Amino acid sequence: MTRKGDMTQTHSNADSLADGRLSAPAAVRNAPAIVAALAGWLPERGRALEIAAGTGEHAVALAGGNPGLDWHPTDIDPLRLASIDAWRAAEGVSNMRVATLLDATGPDWRVDPVAVVYLANLMHLVPEAAAANVIRGAARALAPGGRFCLYGPFRAGGRFRSEGDASFHARLTASDPAIGYKDVEWVDAVAAEAGLDRLDLIEMPANNLIFVFERA
C-alpha cells in the first residue's frame, strides 16, 4: 500500500505564502517549458485530469495556457489541495476546477472519461507497483483518442542521463529502496499493456522528459 507521503514528496521543499499558496522553485522554473512543449499535443476542448497536482503551480500554468480545457487538479494532501485552490483564486483561472482528493497509486481508481491526463514528477517517488497503477489508471480514465502526458526524470536502458540524476536516485533509494528512477522502456511497456501508444518523447530542460501517450 502506498504511503500518503509518497504522493506529496514532489513538493516537500515548497515555501508557504500568506494566503495558503505553496510555491516550489522547480515548479516555477519548469512550468513555462512544459506549457510550450505540450502546446501541440493537447486538444483544444475537453476535461483534463491532473494527478498529484502538488502546489498547483503547474495547474494554473497549463489551465491558463489552454483556456478551452476544463482543468481538474487532484492530490492526496489537504494542504496541497488548499494550495491549488489558492493559486486558482489568486490567478483568476476560470477554466480550472476546485481541487479534489484522488490517490492514483491505488489499483482500482476510476473517474469519468477525460480528454487528457497530466502527471509531473511522481514516478521516481513511488514504488514500481504504485507507478504502474498510476499508468493503468490513466489509461482507464482516458476517452478514446485521449492523451496521457507524463513529465519527470527517467533513466534509459538503466543508464542515468546525468551525474546529478544518478546522485538524486541514490539519495531516493537510500531513504526507501522501493522508490527511484524508472526506465523509459519500463514506462513504455506498462503503457502499452494498458492500451496506450506512445506518440512522442520530448526532451526537456534539466534532463527531464515528457512522454505523450494516446489511448486507441
Short mmCIF file of all heavy atoms in Angstrom, two decimals, residues 55-124:
data_model
loop_
_atom_site.label_atom_id
_atom_site.label_comp_id
_atom_site.label_asym_id
_atom_site.label_seq_id
_atom_site.Cartn_x
_atom_site.Cartn_y
_atom_site.Cartn_z
N THR A 55 1.61 21.79 -5.51
CA THR A 55 1.36 23.17 -5.11
C THR A 55 0.25 23.83 -5.92
O THR A 55 -0.38 24.78 -5.48
CB THR A 55 2.63 24.02 -5.28
OG1 THR A 55 2.98 24.08 -6.66
CG2 THR A 55 3.79 23.45 -4.48
N GLY A 56 0.02 23.34 -7.15
CA GLY A 56 -0.96 23.95 -8.04
C GLY A 56 -0.36 24.85 -9.09
O GLY A 56 -1.07 25.38 -9.95
N GLU A 57 0.96 25.03 -9.06
CA GLU A 57 1.60 25.96 -10.00
C GLU A 57 1.59 25.44 -11.43
O GLU A 57 1.43 26.21 -12.38
CB GLU A 57 3.02 26.27 -9.51
CG GLU A 57 3.00 27.16 -8.29
CD GLU A 57 4.32 27.16 -7.53
OE1 GLU A 57 4.76 26.08 -7.10
OE2 GLU A 57 4.89 28.25 -7.37
N HIS A 58 1.74 24.14 -11.61
CA HIS A 58 1.58 23.59 -12.96
C HIS A 58 0.14 23.71 -13.42
O HIS A 58 -0.13 23.98 -14.60
CB HIS A 58 2.01 22.12 -13.00
CG HIS A 58 3.48 21.91 -13.06
ND1 HIS A 58 4.05 20.69 -13.35
CD2 HIS A 58 4.52 22.76 -12.89
CE1 HIS A 58 5.37 20.80 -13.35
NE2 HIS A 58 5.68 22.06 -13.06
N ALA A 59 -0.79 23.48 -12.51
CA ALA A 59 -2.21 23.52 -12.87
C ALA A 59 -2.61 24.90 -13.40
O ALA A 59 -3.26 25.00 -14.46
CB ALA A 59 -3.07 23.15 -11.67
N VAL A 60 -2.23 25.96 -12.69
CA VAL A 60 -2.64 27.29 -13.17
C VAL A 60 -1.93 27.65 -14.47
O VAL A 60 -2.52 28.30 -15.34
CB VAL A 60 -2.39 28.38 -12.10
CG1 VAL A 60 -3.31 28.18 -10.90
CG2 VAL A 60 -0.94 28.44 -11.66
N ALA A 61 -0.69 27.19 -14.63
CA ALA A 61 0.04 27.49 -15.87
C ALA A 61 -0.58 26.76 -17.06
O ALA A 61 -0.78 27.36 -18.13
CB ALA A 61 1.51 27.10 -15.73
N LEU A 62 -0.89 25.48 -16.89
CA LEU A 62 -1.44 24.70 -18.00
C LEU A 62 -2.89 25.07 -18.29
O LEU A 62 -3.30 25.13 -19.46
CB LEU A 62 -1.31 23.21 -17.70
CG LEU A 62 0.11 22.68 -17.91
CD1 LEU A 62 0.32 21.37 -17.14
CD2 LEU A 62 0.38 22.45 -19.39
N ALA A 63 -3.67 25.33 -17.25
CA ALA A 63 -5.04 25.78 -17.48
C ALA A 63 -5.04 27.14 -18.16
O ALA A 63 -5.80 27.38 -19.11
CB ALA A 63 -5.80 25.83 -16.17
N GLY A 64 -4.19 28.04 -17.70
CA GLY A 64 -4.12 29.35 -18.31
C GLY A 64 -3.65 29.32 -19.74
O GLY A 64 -4.09 30.12 -20.57
N GLY A 65 -2.76 28.38 -20.06
CA GLY A 65 -2.25 28.26 -21.41
C GLY A 65 -3.15 27.49 -22.35
O GLY A 65 -2.91 27.48 -23.56
N ASN A 66 -4.19 26.85 -21.79
CA ASN A 66 -5.13 26.05 -22.60
C ASN A 66 -6.55 26.39 -22.17
O ASN A 66 -7.24 25.57 -21.54
CB ASN A 66 -4.85 24.55 -22.40
CG ASN A 66 -3.46 24.15 -22.87
OD1 ASN A 66 -3.25 23.87 -24.05
ND2 ASN A 66 -2.51 24.13 -21.94
N PRO A 67 -7.02 27.58 -22.52
CA PRO A 67 -8.30 28.07 -21.98
C PRO A 67 -9.51 27.26 -22.40
O PRO A 67 -10.56 27.37 -21.77
CB PRO A 67 -8.37 29.51 -22.52
CG PRO A 67 -7.47 29.52 -23.71
CD PRO A 67 -6.36 28.57 -23.39
N GLY A 68 -9.39 26.45 -23.44
CA GLY A 68 -10.52 25.62 -23.86
C GLY A 68 -10.67 24.34 -23.06
O GLY A 68 -11.70 23.68 -23.16
N LEU A 69 -9.66 23.99 -22.29
CA LEU A 69 -9.72 22.78 -21.48
C LEU A 69 -10.35 23.08 -20.12
O LEU A 69 -10.18 24.16 -19.56
CB LEU A 69 -8.32 22.20 -21.27
CG LEU A 69 -7.64 21.58 -22.48
CD1 LEU A 69 -6.23 21.11 -22.12
CD2 LEU A 69 -8.46 20.41 -23.03
N ASP A 70 -11.05 22.09 -19.60
CA ASP A 70 -11.63 22.14 -18.25
C ASP A 70 -10.65 21.40 -17.34
O ASP A 70 -10.64 20.18 -17.30
CB ASP A 70 -13.00 21.47 -18.30
CG ASP A 70 -13.65 21.35 -16.93
OD1 ASP A 70 -13.18 22.00 -15.99
OD2 ASP A 70 -14.63 20.57 -16.82
N TRP A 71 -9.79 22.15 -16.65
CA TRP A 71 -8.67 21.56 -15.92
C TRP A 71 -9.09 21.14 -14.51
O TRP A 71 -9.58 21.94 -13.74
CB TRP A 71 -7.52 22.57 -15.84
CG TRP A 71 -6.21 21.88 -15.58
CD1 TRP A 71 -5.64 21.61 -14.37
CD2 TRP A 71 -5.33 21.34 -16.57
NE1 TRP A 71 -4.46 20.93 -14.55
CE2 TRP A 71 -4.24 20.76 -15.89
CE3 TRP A 71 -5.36 21.31 -17.97
CZ2 TRP A 71 -3.18 20.15 -16.57
CZ3 TRP A 71 -4.31 20.70 -18.64
CH2 TRP A 71 -3.24 20.13 -17.93
N HIS A 72 -8.88 19.87 -14.20
CA HIS A 72 -9.32 19.30 -12.92
C HIS A 72 -8.10 18.79 -12.15
O HIS A 72 -7.62 17.69 -12.40
CB HIS A 72 -10.31 18.17 -13.16
CG HIS A 72 -10.83 17.54 -11.91
ND1 HIS A 72 -11.63 16.43 -11.92
CD2 HIS A 72 -10.67 17.86 -10.59
CE1 HIS A 72 -11.93 16.08 -10.68
NE2 HIS A 72 -11.35 16.95 -9.86
N PRO A 73 -7.57 19.57 -11.21
CA PRO A 73 -6.42 19.14 -10.43
C PRO A 73 -6.83 18.26 -9.25
O PRO A 73 -7.89 18.45 -8.64
CB PRO A 73 -5.82 20.46 -9.94
CG PRO A 73 -6.99 21.37 -9.83
CD PRO A 73 -7.98 20.95 -10.89
N THR A 74 -5.98 17.30 -8.92
CA THR A 74 -6.22 16.41 -7.78
C THR A 74 -4.93 16.23 -7.00
O THR A 74 -3.83 16.44 -7.50
CB THR A 74 -6.73 15.03 -8.23
OG1 THR A 74 -5.68 14.34 -8.94
CG2 THR A 74 -7.95 15.15 -9.13
N ASP A 75 -5.07 15.79 -5.76
CA ASP A 75 -3.92 15.45 -4.93
C ASP A 75 -4.46 14.65 -3.75
O ASP A 75 -5.67 14.48 -3.62
CB ASP A 75 -3.19 16.71 -4.45
CG ASP A 75 -1.73 16.45 -4.11
OD1 ASP A 75 -1.46 16.00 -2.97
OD2 ASP A 75 -0.86 16.67 -4.96
N ILE A 76 -3.55 14.15 -2.89
CA ILE A 76 -4.00 13.41 -1.70
C ILE A 76 -3.76 14.17 -0.41
O ILE A 76 -4.17 13.72 0.65
CB ILE A 76 -3.33 12.03 -1.61
CG1 ILE A 76 -1.84 12.15 -1.34
CG2 ILE A 76 -3.61 11.20 -2.84
CD1 ILE A 76 -1.19 10.85 -0.91
N ASP A 77 -3.07 15.31 -0.48
CA ASP A 77 -2.70 16.06 0.71
C ASP A 77 -3.60 17.28 0.89
O ASP A 77 -3.67 18.12 -0.01
CB ASP A 77 -1.24 16.49 0.59
CG ASP A 77 -0.70 17.10 1.87
OD1 ASP A 77 -1.35 18.01 2.42
OD2 ASP A 77 0.39 16.69 2.31
N PRO A 78 -4.28 17.41 2.03
CA PRO A 78 -5.17 18.57 2.24
C PRO A 78 -4.47 19.91 2.09
O PRO A 78 -5.06 20.87 1.56
CB PRO A 78 -5.68 18.36 3.67
CG PRO A 78 -5.59 16.89 3.90
CD PRO A 78 -4.37 16.45 3.16
N LEU A 79 -3.22 20.02 2.54
CA LEU A 79 -2.50 21.29 2.40
C LEU A 79 -2.28 21.64 0.94
O LEU A 79 -2.37 22.81 0.54
CB LEU A 79 -1.16 21.23 3.13
CG LEU A 79 -1.22 21.26 4.66
CD1 LEU A 79 0.19 21.11 5.23
CD2 LEU A 79 -1.87 22.54 5.16
N ARG A 80 -2.01 20.64 0.12
CA ARG A 80 -1.80 20.89 -1.30
C ARG A 80 -3.11 21.15 -2.02
O ARG A 80 -3.17 21.98 -2.92
CB ARG A 80 -1.03 19.73 -1.91
CG ARG A 80 0.47 19.90 -1.71
CD ARG A 80 1.14 18.64 -1.22
NE ARG A 80 2.58 18.90 -1.09
CZ ARG A 80 3.17 19.27 0.04
NH1 ARG A 80 2.45 19.44 1.14
NH2 ARG A 80 4.47 19.48 0.10
N LEU A 81 -4.17 20.49 -1.61
CA LEU A 81 -5.48 20.80 -2.18
C LEU A 81 -5.84 22.27 -1.91
O LEU A 81 -6.33 22.97 -2.79
CB LEU A 81 -6.54 19.87 -1.60
CG LEU A 81 -6.42 18.39 -1.98
CD1 LEU A 81 -7.42 17.56 -1.19
CD2 LEU A 81 -6.63 18.20 -3.48
N ALA A 82 -5.56 22.72 -0.68
CA ALA A 82 -5.82 24.13 -0.34
C ALA A 82 -4.93 25.06 -1.15
O ALA A 82 -5.37 26.13 -1.60
CB ALA A 82 -5.61 24.34 1.15
N SER A 83 -3.67 24.67 -1.34
CA SER A 83 -2.76 25.49 -2.13
C SER A 83 -3.22 25.61 -3.57
O SER A 83 -3.17 26.69 -4.17
CB SER A 83 -1.35 24.90 -2.07
OG SER A 83 -0.46 25.62 -2.90
N ILE A 84 -3.65 24.49 -4.15
CA ILE A 84 -4.12 24.50 -5.54
C ILE A 84 -5.27 25.49 -5.69
O ILE A 84 -5.30 26.30 -6.63
CB ILE A 84 -4.56 23.08 -5.96
CG1 ILE A 84 -3.35 22.13 -5.97
CG2 ILE A 84 -5.22 23.11 -7.34
CD1 ILE A 84 -3.74 20.66 -5.97
N ASP A 85 -6.22 25.42 -4.76
CA ASP A 85 -7.38 26.31 -4.85
C ASP A 85 -6.97 27.77 -4.61
O ASP A 85 -7.55 28.69 -5.20
CB ASP A 85 -8.44 25.89 -3.84
CG ASP A 85 -9.12 24.58 -4.23
OD1 ASP A 85 -9.08 24.23 -5.42
OD2 ASP A 85 -9.67 23.91 -3.34
N ALA A 86 -5.97 27.98 -3.75
CA ALA A 86 -5.49 29.34 -3.51
C ALA A 86 -4.81 29.90 -4.77
O ALA A 86 -4.98 31.08 -5.10
CB ALA A 86 -4.53 29.36 -2.33
N TRP A 87 -4.05 29.06 -5.48
CA TRP A 87 -3.45 29.51 -6.75
C TRP A 87 -4.53 29.81 -7.79
O TRP A 87 -4.44 30.79 -8.53
CB TRP A 87 -2.48 28.45 -7.28
CG TRP A 87 -1.11 28.56 -6.71
CD1 TRP A 87 -0.54 27.75 -5.77
CD2 TRP A 87 -0.15 29.56 -7.01
NE1 TRP A 87 0.72 28.18 -5.47
CE2 TRP A 87 1.00 29.29 -6.21
CE3 TRP A 87 -0.13 30.66 -7.87
CZ2 TRP A 87 2.14 30.08 -6.28
CZ3 TRP A 87 1.02 31.44 -7.93
CH2 TRP A 87 2.14 31.15 -7.14
N ARG A 88 -5.54 28.97 -7.82
CA ARG A 88 -6.66 29.19 -8.76
C ARG A 88 -7.31 30.54 -8.51
O ARG A 88 -7.58 31.31 -9.44
CB ARG A 88 -7.68 28.06 -8.59
CG ARG A 88 -9.00 28.23 -9.34
CD ARG A 88 -9.87 26.99 -9.08
NE ARG A 88 -11.20 27.15 -9.62
CZ ARG A 88 -12.24 27.62 -8.92
NH1 ARG A 88 -12.08 28.00 -7.66
NH2 ARG A 88 -13.42 27.73 -9.48
N ALA A 89 -7.55 30.87 -7.23
CA ALA A 89 -8.17 32.15 -6.88
C ALA A 89 -7.24 33.32 -7.17
O ALA A 89 -7.66 34.35 -7.71
CB ALA A 89 -8.58 32.13 -5.41
N ALA A 90 -5.97 33.16 -6.82
CA ALA A 90 -5.02 34.26 -6.99
C ALA A 90 -4.80 34.60 -8.45
O ALA A 90 -4.65 35.77 -8.81
CB ALA A 90 -3.69 33.90 -6.32
N GLU A 91 -4.78 33.58 -9.30
CA GLU A 91 -4.52 33.79 -10.73
C GLU A 91 -5.80 34.03 -11.52
O GLU A 91 -5.75 34.39 -12.70
CB GLU A 91 -3.78 32.58 -11.31
CG GLU A 91 -2.40 32.36 -10.71
CD GLU A 91 -1.44 33.47 -11.03
OE1 GLU A 91 -1.49 33.99 -12.17
OE2 GLU A 91 -0.63 33.84 -10.14
N GLY A 92 -6.96 33.82 -10.90
CA GLY A 92 -8.24 34.04 -11.57
C GLY A 92 -8.44 33.13 -12.77
O GLY A 92 -8.97 33.56 -13.79
N VAL A 93 -8.04 31.86 -12.64
CA VAL A 93 -8.15 30.90 -13.75
C VAL A 93 -9.56 30.35 -13.78
O VAL A 93 -9.96 29.56 -12.93
CB VAL A 93 -7.12 29.77 -13.61
CG1 VAL A 93 -7.19 28.83 -14.80
CG2 VAL A 93 -5.71 30.34 -13.47
N SER A 94 -10.33 30.74 -14.77
CA SER A 94 -11.76 30.41 -14.80
C SER A 94 -12.03 28.99 -15.31
O SER A 94 -13.11 28.44 -15.04
CB SER A 94 -12.51 31.41 -15.69
OG SER A 94 -12.03 31.38 -17.01
N ASN A 95 -11.09 28.39 -16.02
CA ASN A 95 -11.31 27.05 -16.57
C ASN A 95 -10.65 25.96 -15.73
O ASN A 95 -10.32 24.89 -16.21
CB ASN A 95 -10.79 26.96 -18.01
CG ASN A 95 -9.30 27.19 -18.11
OD1 ASN A 95 -8.77 28.10 -17.48
ND2 ASN A 95 -8.61 26.38 -18.91
N MET A 96 -10.50 26.24 -14.44
CA MET A 96 -9.87 25.30 -13.52
C MET A 96 -10.84 24.95 -12.41
O MET A 96 -11.41 25.83 -11.76
CB MET A 96 -8.59 25.93 -12.97
CG MET A 96 -7.77 25.05 -12.07
SD MET A 96 -6.20 25.93 -11.71
CE MET A 96 -5.75 25.15 -10.17
N ARG A 97 -11.05 23.67 -12.19
CA ARG A 97 -11.99 23.22 -11.17
C ARG A 97 -11.38 23.30 -9.77
O ARG A 97 -10.17 23.39 -9.61
CB ARG A 97 -12.40 21.76 -11.43
CG ARG A 97 -13.17 21.54 -12.71
CD ARG A 97 -13.73 20.14 -12.75
NE ARG A 97 -14.45 19.89 -14.00
CZ ARG A 97 -15.26 18.87 -14.19
NH1 ARG A 97 -15.44 17.97 -13.23
NH2 ARG A 97 -15.88 18.72 -15.34
N VAL A 98 -12.25 23.25 -8.78
CA VAL A 98 -11.80 23.10 -7.40
C VAL A 98 -11.06 21.77 -7.29
O VAL A 98 -11.49 20.75 -7.83
CB VAL A 98 -13.00 23.14 -6.44
CG1 VAL A 98 -12.58 22.78 -5.03
CG2 VAL A 98 -13.66 24.51 -6.48
N ALA A 99 -9.94 21.78 -6.60
CA ALA A 99 -9.13 20.57 -6.46
C ALA A 99 -9.85 19.52 -5.63
O ALA A 99 -10.54 19.84 -4.65
CB ALA A 99 -7.80 20.93 -5.81
N THR A 100 -9.68 18.26 -6.01
CA THR A 100 -10.33 17.17 -5.30
C THR A 100 -9.33 16.09 -4.91
O THR A 100 -8.25 16.00 -5.47
CB THR A 100 -11.46 16.54 -6.13
OG1 THR A 100 -10.93 16.07 -7.38
CG2 THR A 100 -12.56 17.55 -6.41
N LEU A 101 -9.74 15.29 -3.95
CA LEU A 101 -8.89 14.22 -3.42
C LEU A 101 -8.86 13.04 -4.38
O LEU A 101 -9.91 12.55 -4.81
CB LEU A 101 -9.44 13.77 -2.07
CG LEU A 101 -8.67 12.68 -1.33
CD1 LEU A 101 -7.34 13.21 -0.83
CD2 LEU A 101 -9.51 12.14 -0.18
N LEU A 102 -7.66 12.58 -4.73
CA LEU A 102 -7.51 11.37 -5.54
C LEU A 102 -6.16 10.76 -5.25
O LEU A 102 -5.13 11.41 -5.38
CB LEU A 102 -7.62 11.69 -7.04
CG LEU A 102 -7.34 10.50 -7.98
CD1 LEU A 102 -8.41 9.42 -7.82
CD2 LEU A 102 -7.23 10.95 -9.42
N ASP A 103 -6.17 9.48 -4.85
CA ASP A 103 -4.93 8.71 -4.73
C ASP A 103 -4.84 7.80 -5.95
O ASP A 103 -5.49 6.76 -6.02
CB ASP A 103 -4.94 7.88 -3.44
CG ASP A 103 -3.64 7.10 -3.25
OD1 ASP A 103 -2.79 7.13 -4.17
OD2 ASP A 103 -3.49 6.46 -2.19
N ALA A 104 -4.04 8.20 -6.91
CA ALA A 104 -3.93 7.47 -8.17
C ALA A 104 -2.94 6.32 -8.10
O ALA A 104 -2.70 5.66 -9.11
CB ALA A 104 -3.53 8.42 -9.29
N THR A 105 -2.34 6.08 -6.93
CA THR A 105 -1.42 4.95 -6.80
C THR A 105 -2.13 3.66 -6.44
O THR A 105 -1.51 2.60 -6.43
CB THR A 105 -0.34 5.25 -5.74
OG1 THR A 105 -0.97 5.42 -4.46
CG2 THR A 105 0.46 6.49 -6.11
N GLY A 106 -3.42 3.75 -6.12
CA GLY A 106 -4.19 2.55 -5.82
C GLY A 106 -4.52 1.78 -7.08
O GLY A 106 -4.50 2.31 -8.19
N PRO A 107 -4.88 0.50 -6.97
CA PRO A 107 -5.05 -0.35 -8.15
C PRO A 107 -6.35 -0.16 -8.92
O PRO A 107 -6.41 -0.52 -10.10
CB PRO A 107 -4.98 -1.76 -7.58
CG PRO A 107 -5.46 -1.62 -6.16
CD PRO A 107 -4.96 -0.28 -5.71
N ASP A 108 -7.37 0.41 -8.32
CA ASP A 108 -8.69 0.38 -8.96
C ASP A 108 -9.34 1.75 -9.11
O ASP A 108 -10.55 1.84 -9.27
CB ASP A 108 -9.64 -0.53 -8.17
CG ASP A 108 -9.13 -1.97 -8.11
OD1 ASP A 108 -8.71 -2.49 -9.16
OD2 ASP A 108 -9.15 -2.54 -7.01
N TRP A 109 -8.57 2.83 -9.06
CA TRP A 109 -9.20 4.14 -9.12
C TRP A 109 -9.80 4.40 -10.49
O TRP A 109 -9.28 3.96 -11.51
CB TRP A 109 -8.21 5.24 -8.74
CG TRP A 109 -7.06 5.45 -9.69
CD1 TRP A 109 -5.89 4.77 -9.71
CD2 TRP A 109 -6.98 6.40 -10.75
NE1 TRP A 109 -5.07 5.23 -10.71
CE2 TRP A 109 -5.72 6.23 -11.36
CE3 TRP A 109 -7.85 7.38 -11.24
CZ2 TRP A 109 -5.31 7.01 -12.44
CZ3 TRP A 109 -7.44 8.16 -12.31
CH2 TRP A 109 -6.18 7.97 -12.90
N ARG A 110 -10.91 5.11 -10.49
CA ARG A 110 -11.62 5.42 -11.74
C ARG A 110 -12.22 6.81 -11.65
O ARG A 110 -12.60 7.27 -10.58
CB ARG A 110 -12.74 4.40 -12.02
CG ARG A 110 -12.22 3.00 -12.30
CD ARG A 110 -13.34 2.02 -12.60
NE ARG A 110 -12.82 0.69 -12.83
CZ ARG A 110 -12.37 0.25 -13.99
NH1 ARG A 110 -12.42 1.04 -15.06
NH2 ARG A 110 -11.90 -0.98 -14.12
N VAL A 111 -12.33 7.47 -12.80
CA VAL A 111 -13.01 8.75 -12.92
C VAL A 111 -13.82 8.71 -14.20
O VAL A 111 -13.66 7.81 -15.04
CB VAL A 111 -12.00 9.93 -12.98
CG1 VAL A 111 -11.19 10.01 -11.69
CG2 VAL A 111 -11.08 9.80 -14.18
N ASP A 112 -14.70 9.68 -14.37
CA ASP A 112 -15.41 9.80 -15.64
C ASP A 112 -14.40 10.06 -16.76
O ASP A 112 -13.35 10.67 -16.53
CB ASP A 112 -16.43 10.93 -15.58
CG ASP A 112 -17.58 10.63 -14.63
OD1 ASP A 112 -17.84 9.44 -14.38
OD2 ASP A 112 -18.21 11.59 -14.14
N PRO A 113 -14.69 9.63 -17.98
CA PRO A 113 -13.71 9.76 -19.08
C PRO A 113 -13.27 11.20 -19.29
O PRO A 113 -14.07 12.14 -19.23
CB PRO A 113 -14.48 9.24 -20.29
CG PRO A 113 -15.50 8.30 -19.72
CD PRO A 113 -15.90 8.91 -18.41
N VAL A 114 -11.97 11.35 -19.54
CA VAL A 114 -11.37 12.66 -19.75
C VAL A 114 -10.59 12.66 -21.06
O VAL A 114 -10.25 11.62 -21.61
CB VAL A 114 -10.44 13.06 -18.58
CG1 VAL A 114 -11.21 13.15 -17.28
CG2 VAL A 114 -9.28 12.07 -18.45
N ALA A 115 -10.30 13.86 -21.55
CA ALA A 115 -9.54 14.01 -22.79
C ALA A 115 -8.04 13.99 -22.55
O ALA A 115 -7.26 13.63 -23.45
CB ALA A 115 -9.93 15.31 -23.49
N VAL A 116 -7.62 14.39 -21.34
CA VAL A 116 -6.20 14.50 -21.01
C VAL A 116 -5.98 14.03 -19.57
O VAL A 116 -6.78 14.33 -18.69
CB VAL A 116 -5.71 15.96 -21.14
CG1 VAL A 116 -4.25 16.08 -20.68
CG2 VAL A 116 -5.86 16.47 -22.56
N VAL A 117 -4.90 13.29 -19.36
CA VAL A 117 -4.37 13.07 -18.02
C VAL A 117 -2.96 13.62 -18.00
O VAL A 117 -2.15 13.31 -18.88
CB VAL A 117 -4.36 11.58 -17.64
CG1 VAL A 117 -3.71 11.39 -16.27
CG2 VAL A 117 -5.77 11.00 -17.63
N TYR A 118 -2.65 14.44 -17.00
CA TYR A 118 -1.33 15.05 -16.87
C TYR A 118 -0.75 14.69 -15.51
O TYR A 118 -1.45 14.74 -14.49
CB TYR A 118 -1.42 16.57 -17.00
CG TYR A 118 -0.11 17.28 -16.68
CD1 TYR A 118 0.95 17.25 -17.58
CD2 TYR A 118 0.05 17.96 -15.48
CE1 TYR A 118 2.15 17.88 -17.27
CE2 TYR A 118 1.25 18.60 -15.17
CZ TYR A 118 2.29 18.55 -16.07
OH TYR A 118 3.48 19.18 -15.78
N LEU A 119 0.51 14.34 -15.50
CA LEU A 119 1.21 13.99 -14.25
C LEU A 119 2.65 14.45 -14.35
O LEU A 119 3.33 14.19 -15.35
CB LEU A 119 1.16 12.48 -14.03
CG LEU A 119 2.03 11.93 -12.90
CD1 LEU A 119 1.60 12.49 -11.55
CD2 LEU A 119 1.98 10.41 -12.88
N ALA A 120 3.13 15.10 -13.29
CA ALA A 120 4.52 15.56 -13.25
C ALA A 120 5.20 15.09 -11.96
O ALA A 120 4.61 15.16 -10.88
CB ALA A 120 4.58 17.09 -13.33
N ASN A 121 6.42 14.62 -12.13
CA ASN A 121 7.34 14.41 -11.00
C ASN A 121 6.79 13.51 -9.90
O ASN A 121 6.85 13.86 -8.72
CB ASN A 121 7.75 15.77 -10.41
CG ASN A 121 8.61 16.56 -11.35
OD1 ASN A 121 9.43 16.01 -12.08
ND2 ASN A 121 8.41 17.87 -11.37
N LEU A 122 6.29 12.36 -10.30
CA LEU A 122 5.83 11.39 -9.30
C LEU A 122 6.46 10.02 -9.46
O LEU A 122 6.73 9.34 -8.48
CB LEU A 122 4.31 11.25 -9.36
CG LEU A 122 3.71 10.25 -8.37
CD1 LEU A 122 3.91 10.73 -6.93
CD2 LEU A 122 2.24 10.00 -8.64
N MET A 123 6.75 9.59 -10.68
CA MET A 123 7.16 8.22 -10.92
C MET A 123 8.37 7.80 -10.09
O MET A 123 8.44 6.67 -9.62
CB MET A 123 7.47 8.01 -12.40
CG MET A 123 6.29 8.14 -13.35
SD MET A 123 5.14 6.73 -13.28
CE MET A 123 3.85 7.43 -12.26
N HIS A 124 9.33 8.70 -9.90
CA HIS A 124 10.54 8.35 -9.16
C HIS A 124 10.32 8.36 -7.66
O HIS A 124 11.20 7.92 -6.91
CB HIS A 124 11.69 9.30 -9.53
CG HIS A 124 11.38 10.75 -9.33
ND1 HIS A 124 10.40 11.41 -10.03
CD2 HIS A 124 11.94 11.68 -8.50
CE1 HIS A 124 10.36 12.68 -9.66
NE2 HIS A 124 11.28 12.85 -8.73
#
